[in-house]
Each structure stands twice: as C-alpha cells, then as structure tokens.
Amino acid sequence: MRTRLFATAIGLLLLLPGPSAGCAAGRQSAPTGIDSLVVLHTNDVHSHLDPFEVSGGARVGGVAARAALVGRQRALGGRLLLLDAGDLVQGTPYYNRFRGEPDHRLLDLLGYDAIALGNHDLDDGAAAWRRRASATRTPILSANVFAAAESGWAGGSDPPIASAARRGARWIGGGKVPPGVTLRYLATPYTIVERGGLRIALFGLTTPSLDRIVSARPNQGVAVGSAVAAARELVPRLRHQADLVIALTHLGVDEDRRLVDHVPGIDLVIGGHSHTPLFRPTLENAEGGRTTPIAQAGSWGRYLGRTTLRWSGDRAATATFGRLIPVRPEEGEDASVEAVVASYRSRLGADLDRIVFRSPKRVEASSLREGDSPLGNFVADVIRDRARADIAVMNSGGIRAPLPAGDVRERDLITMLPFDNRLVVLSMTGAQVQRLLDRIARRLGKRGFAHVSGVSYVIRRERAVEVRVWKRDGARAAVTRARDASRLRDGDAIDANRVYRVATIDFLADGGDAFDEVRAAGVQERTATLLSDAAIAYLRAHPDYSFRNDNRVQWRGSSEALRDLRLR
C-alpha cells in the first residue's frame, strides 16, 4: 500500500538515491558537497494578470507583484528555476480580448524556464495555439499530446512518436488513433537546462482527459495519449542525459501520484490542473524505494511555490523543503511588468466597469464536484430563460469565479463565465432527458457534474428519480423538500415520450465533458448568444434576483455524512 508523507516547514530528510543516480557512466557528475536547486513555480494562472480580492477582502496575486517576488527570490542567489504547470490563459477579460498575447509576452519578461501545455491552451484550437506559442521564447512542454503528421500544426521536423509513447492515444472528440496513423508532437516533449554545472531535464505531461474536455471542432487531428506511457518511454532516456529529471505536469494531484507510482526515476513533480494549494510538497513512495515530492501552487497566481531539493556529495540522501509564498501587491510590484499590463488594461474598454447588479453578499463559485449551488442555479436559469426552453443544463466546470459583494460589474460576469460559449437548443424526448439526468447523478462528487433549470430530481443510488419538470410559464419553481422526504412538489412527472426543448451551451452539445447524451440528441438551433452576454442581460432585467439553493437537486443515500465525504 502506498505511503504518503508531507514535508515539514524546515524540511524532511529522505534516504534515497540522489539526483544523478541512473546517469550514463562517464558523464561528469555534479559538484560534490551539500548542494541544492530551488524551483519557483506557478500553475493555472488563467489570465489573472491583475490583483484580485479573496474572501475576507484581501487583495492578492497579480503578475506585477509576482514578478517582484520572483526578483526577491532570485536575489537570494543559488541555482534557481522558474516553471509553470499549465493553463496560463483563459479566465478573465484579458483573454477574451487579447487571446493570450499578454500572458505569453509576460512569460519571457518574468524569465520562465518552461511551461506545461494545459487543456485551455487548446480552447481556440491547435492552429491558434501554435501562433501564440511562436510568440514566446519559453518552451511549452508536453510529451503526450500529438498531432497527425499531415496536419498544419504538427512539428514537421520531429521524428514520429514511438509506439510505446503513443499507447492508448485518442483523437480529441473522437475514438482511438489507428496504429497506422503517423503522429508527431504538438508541443516540445522536453528540454534540458543547465544551472551551475547541473543538467536538469524538464518534460511536460497534459491531462489525458483532453479528448473530452476541449472543443473538438478546432482541434481536428490532435490526439492525447497516456501520461504514464509517455513518461515510461521518456524518463529512462532523460536520466542518461541529465542529473535531475523534473516532470512539469498538468494532470492534477491524484494523477501525479499515479505517475510517480508507475514511473521510476522522477526527482520532482511540479503539477497543476486540480488547482490544489499544497502548502507543503506531498511525498509519494515510488518504485525502487525512491520518494518523489509533488508540488502545486493553487491557482490564479495567488501563491508562488518554492520547492528546494538538497543532496549530499555522495548522493546518499536528498532533502526536500517546500512552501507556498503569498503574492501580495502591497509588498511591491515590478514597474516594467505593471507597465506592460497597464498597456493592455487601458484597451479593455470602459464598458467592462459598468455596474450590472448589486449583490448583498459574495456568491461563491460552484466547484467541479458540487451539487445544487446558488451560482450554478443562476447560470442554468439564465440559459433556460434566454432560450425559452423547458429544461437547461450547464456544466459545473464552465463557472470559474465567484461574484463579489456590492457592485457586480460586467468584468465580474465575464470572469465568472470566461469561455466564449454560445447557447444551443436541442429536442430531447423524456427518455433521453432521463438518461442525461442519470449521467449527471453518477457524477455527483466527481468531475463532470452539471447544474439544471426547469427540472428537479432526487439522486438515489447514482440515478435520477422523482424527476419533475417545471411549469412552462418561465417562473422558477419553489421546489421544497416534503416533510416525509418522499417526493418533490411543483412539477409534473417527466413524460418519457414527450419531446422537450432543452437548452445548453455549444461545448456540451459538441460532446465536451463527455456529455454524449447531449451530442447524440443533435442540435436543433445554434444561436449567436454568448452565455456571458445572456447573464449580464438577465441580471439587468432581474435586479431583485436572489442567489440561493432551492433543492432542485437533492441527494439521498445511506447518510448525508457520506455525501459530504464524497464532496470533499
């Protein structure tokens, strides 16, 4: 059974082979004596170039404050790397307006050594990503994302992918890649940097769920393979070329642990994707008795991770120190970086500051795993209202930020709903809707849950039961829990044979987040309405809107405590 440990604030000494173990015979070794490497790291910044407010009112983050903090860390001396674990872009009006231009420009200005390819890099498609990537000197790494050799964005000079590395590869939005199709890397699989005579191999990995969480239409010819298979093929080669091997991953903490469990020879994992603030690195036991630290710095640039590897000259021991340093604008901002951000900020437009709504309290964003939530209910209500539909469905992952207390401005709503999703309308029978709700019910407590409007149901044994469809007068139903908890009121039982008008977003209609039931129904009507525009218009038209849970989705299992455990 695996054992997980946590590094303490003063460091934890681990008896394991040192960083040059496994290097080719005859390679010049790193200098002897007590030695170290500092790795500064970020992940999932999502275009948060400006400071932002967190619960409690404190202002944190911002790329200018981060640049100043990085500068202070560099001034301490010693070997140092600056890395990012992916999803640099998509999440604020900066991306909606400039499509990643300032984000990639700032990578070079801050002096990042490498960044992992994240899933949101492909939101606009592979061709758009390649144009952005060509504008930065910072290597963008992924060893398990490929492109068909004949596509315009494949690395033309790269060798074809080895069969072991591409094992299990799947097309974005499609099926398995046939063995006879030649694949090449979309990004750079790895890079080797040198610091003070120490050679450090950095390789990237991207979540294998890429095939279902990015839009298929602009990513034709792009495939993703197993992260473990790619690493197993690559790491032994890197160990013969470098003293240290660092995995820069956009997989999530759980998949990082799986990677370490199955791939020996990785000295450090700098991770992203799950937005997890690991205030101390997680230490994971790997094959061969090695213990590998895993670090991740939350999201939005709120923290700068600092992880230090130390080893003795005889390579008999390695120590790992790690912490997250808060990024605080009041501690100083880099003037040159702020000048760049200000040049883009001035072009965003005054309309983003227009007040749309006044909220008596902060409304928290729904998590990817949460059930019935005020913000999720609101977005689903917006979709249903604008499309004049019977039922609306919205994926939890599309809601990315909370709404502040007080004045809610257009920029707040665009930050909450940053993706350029447009509304679509489907025709689905009651039987098809039932299968869709069953699918959503199975995802409670997991990624891929969805919010609904116009329908209420109970989740029991991972199925949607007691399904009620609201009246078609456009008003929100006052769904309440009956005293005996045996039924829901204010709705008609779903009719398996009736055809319902179902509204959602184009991402789900095209099969995103593996919503196959939606894709199979077929789109009846594609609108030009952006979801964020619809939300702005809805709040302007409903100044008294109340954000609340109204039990439209209820969970009944062996105990409510078990449900709470699943949602952690």
Side-chain angles (χ1 to χ4, degrees), residues 104-119:
H104 287 80
R105 180 179 174 187
L106 289 162
L107 280 178
D108 295 343
L109 194 57
L110 269 70
Y112 274 85
D113 293 290
I115 181 172
L117 180 74
N119 49 289

Side-chain angles (χ1 to χ4, degrees), residues 461-472:
R461 296 179 180 176
E462 297 193 329
R463 288 201 60 204
V465 301
E466 301 182 38
V467 180
R468 299 287 187 272
V469 180
W470 301 353
K471 307 298 183 182
R472 291 196 63 179

Side-chain angles (χ1 to χ4, degrees), residues 202-498:
L202 309 169
F203 74 97
L205 295 170
T206 307
T207 174
S209 63
L210 198 69
D211 66 321
R212 61 182 185 273
I213 64 172
V214 300
S215 297
R217 289 188 174 197
N219 287 294
Q220 296 299 310
V222 178
V224 62
S226 162
V228 168
R232 276 181 170 166
E233 194 276 334
L234 185 58
V235 169
R237 292 194 281 125
L238 296 180
R239 290 237 66 99
H240 285 276
Q241 301 177 53
D243 302 298
L244 281 174
V245 175
I246 297 177
L248 194 53
T249 72
H250 197 75
L251 303 174
V253 170
D254 290 343
E255 289 302 307
D256 285 337
R257 289 168 175 151
R258 181 171 177 269
L259 174 72
V260 170
D261 288 347
H262 290 84
V263 183
I266 300 173
D267 294 296
L268 171 65
V269 176
I270 298 295
H273 188 53
S274 57
H275 295 201
T276 308
L278 293 177
F279 293 96
R280 303 289 180 264
T282 295
L283 304 177
E284 187 76 7
N285 282 353
E287 292 182 9
R290 294 179 62 92
T291 305
T292 300
I294 299 169
Q296 190 176 153
S299 62
W300 295 10
R302 179 175 181 176
Y303 301 104
L304 177 70
R306 179 188 167 101
T307 301
T308 305
L309 297 179
R310 300 185 66 186
W311 59 91
S312 62
D314 61 4
R315 295 158 183 82
T318 293
T320 302
F321 300 78
R323 63 191 177 107
L324 299 184
I325 307 172
V327 178
R328 298 188 176 104
E330 68 268 20
E331 295 178 358
E333 296 182 317
D334 184 285
S336 61
V337 170
E338 171 56 26
V340 172
V341 177
S343 70
Y344 287 97
R345 188 186 301 124
S346 65
R347 289 183 275 157
L348 282 177
D351 54 341
L352 291 177
D353 289 322
R354 289 186 301 206
I355 297 173
V356 176
F357 183 77
R358 285 195 59 83
S359 178
K361 61 182 180 179
R362 178 183 170 94
V363 187
E364 295 296 339
S366 59
S367 75
L368 293 174
R369 302 181 179 188
E370 195 174 354
D372 195 2
S373 75
L375 214 48
N377 291 346
F378 162 69
V379 177
D381 288 343
V382 167
I383 296 172
R384 176 172 173 257
D385 177 82
R386 186 60 174 260
R388 299 183 180 276
D390 299 305
I391 297 167
V393 178
M394 175 63 191
N395 62 313
S396 297
I399 302 170
R400 308 295 291 190
L403 290 181
D407 292 340
V408 176
R409 302 175 188 274
E410 288 193 16
R411 69 170 65 249
D412 298 316
L413 287 157
I414 294 173
T415 301
M416 182 190 74
L417 299 169
F419 308 128
D420 290 334
N421 294 136
R422 286 173 165 78
L423 304 190
V424 300
V425 180
L426 322 168
S427 292
M428 299 180 72
T429 65
Q432 289 175 309
V433 172
Q434 178 68 59
R435 287 193 292 271
L436 172 60
L437 297 179
D438 286 341
R439 185 251 185 238
I440 295 171
R442 290 193 298 272
R443 303 310 300 172
L444 180 66
K446 307 171 187 175
R447 287 182 176 271
F449 191 75
H451 303 287
V452 297
S453 178
V455 66
S456 309
Y457 61 95
V458 170
I459 298 175
R460 183 183 294 122
R461 296 179 180 176
E462 297 193 329
R463 288 201 60 204
V465 301
E466 301 182 38
V467 180
R468 299 287 187 272
V469 180
W470 301 353
K471 307 298 183 182
R472 291 196 63 179
D473 58 4
R476 291 193 346 154
V479 182
T480 59
R481 189 191 297 267
R483 182 176 297 239
D484 61 359
S486 63
R487 63 187 179 88
L488 293 176
R489 300 179 299 179
D490 298 312
D492 298 325
I494 193 167
D495 184 339
N497 298 313
R498 177 180 166 182

Side-chain angles (χ1 to χ4, degrees), residues 78-99:
R79 295 190 185 96
L80 184 144
L81 293 175
L82 178 59
L83 306 175
D84 187 277
D87 272 4
L88 177 71
V89 299
Q90 182 68 279
T92 71
Y94 282 107
Y95 186 78
N96 298 85
R97 173 66 174 83
F98 302 112
R99 315 313 292 183

Side-chain angles (χ1 to χ4, degrees), residues 490-511:
D490 298 312
D492 298 325
I494 193 167
D495 184 339
N497 298 313
R498 177 180 166 182
V499 175
Y500 293 93
R501 183 176 169 89
V502 179
T504 186
I505 55 174
D506 50 2
F507 173 69
L508 297 187
D510 292 335

